[in-house]
Amino acid sequence: MSQPSTATSATAHSVWPDWNTAAQAVIETGRQAAQRGWVPATAGNFSVRAADGLVAITRSGVDKGAMVLTDILRQPAGQALLPGSSAEAELHLRLYADHPTLGAVFHTHNLAASVLGRLHVAHGRIVLEGWELQKALQGIRTHETRVHLPVFANTQDIAALANEVSAHFALAPADTVLAPGYVIAGHGLYAWGSDARQAWRHLEALDVLLAQVLALRA
Ligand SMILES: [Zn+2]
């Protein structure tokens, strides 16, 4: 996101929502993701950056389709994870630290992302090209743009994965158009945006784009 030419450059936000508004956005996002079948068996996690240096983020182990306010943690950005956090919360916090304009990070266990990730993990990316829905990604104007969606191997060492993701986005060549998200092989999808609305649009678009790539392979 440090590169203005990438699809991940976002409109700068000077004002973050108050914590309650951010938490409600997290609850609503979880409800919608559950309706799509993206968060089975308490999978997935969602966060929205709030005012006062706080991040509203899902507690570990809760049904993401039926969350209440007590399922959302008031996580101070840049500080140790609170008790009850998901291990993957570290991936969210690193993204917020690396990219100051990011307002929301959503993680789901989409079928197409999980499967395609395993097929593409050796290449380290899935290239999206020729799909009209690419234009739903911030900054993409045409289906002809080659959009790189990074793929990382699954691991239980979340700190190492956070470092790997951070380095990948920081070191990508300037002429590479990166998607606002990444895939973890055999696991799922991360997507983000300048606010919850944009992050949801990116998540939804990437899910369909990946399903289209998978269908084309079949
Ligand atoms: Zn996960």
Side-chain angles (χ1 to χ4, degrees):
M1 235 144 308
S2 53
Q3 298 151 30
S5 64
T6 69
T8 52
S9 55
T11 306
H13 261 258
S14 53
V15 179
W16 302 110
D18 63 67
W19 190 84
N20 269 299
T21 302
Q24 289 299 339
V26 169
I27 290 170
E28 175 59 17
T29 301
R31 199 181 61 75
Q32 291 194 36
Q35 286 178 352
R36 310 290 178 100
W38 293 346
V39 286
T42 78
N45 35 70
F46 304 93
S47 68
V48 173
R49 198 199 294 260
D52 304 322
L54 294 172
V55 173
I57 187 165
T58 44
R59 186 185 293 281
S60 177
V62 299
D63 177 353
K64 305 305 185 300
M67 292 187 289
V68 295
L69 215 48
T70 51
D71 294 325
I72 314 301
L73 298 170
R74 296 168 65 101
Q75 172 68 51
Q79 293 186 28
L81 296 183
L82 298 171
S85 293
S86 158
E88 286 184 57
E90 191 171 347
L91 296 170
H92 293 239
L93 295 189
R94 180 65 73 86
L95 285 166
Y96 290 123
D98 286 353
H99 309 294
T101 61
L102 265 200
V105 178
F106 299 153
H107 166 56
T108 50
H109 287 201
N110 312 50
L111 179 70
S114 179
V115 173
L116 269 179
R118 288 185 62 166
L119 294 171
H120 286 255
V121 68
H123 300 109
R125 64 175 184 268
I126 298 164
V127 176
L128 304 168
E129 186 179 21
W131 306 104
E132 178 66 13
L133 199 58
Q134 290 169 212
K135 289 157 58 184
L137 306 177
Q138 185 66 28
I140 303 296
R141 305 259 178 275
T142 165
H143 64 286
E144 294 174 340
T145 302
R146 285 172 61 86
V147 180
H148 287 227
L149 179 63
V151 178
F152 301 100
N154 197 26
T155 176
Q156 306 306 321
D157 186 344
I158 300 301
L161 179 58
N163 287 337
E164 194 181 352
V165 171
S166 186
H168 186 93
F169 279 87
L171 302 175
D175 59 351
T176 298
V177 178
L178 288 166
Y182 61 84
V183 165
I184 308 178
H187 181 160
L189 177 64
Y190 271 80
W192 51 77
S194 56
D195 56 23
R197 184 181 299 228
Q198 188 187 83
W200 178 261
R201 191 181 83 216
H202 288 163
L203 181 68
E204 194 172 37
L206 287 171
D207 176 70
V208 173
L209 286 162
L210 290 169
Q212 288 170 333
V213 172
L214 192 60
L216 190 65
R217 282 185 73 114

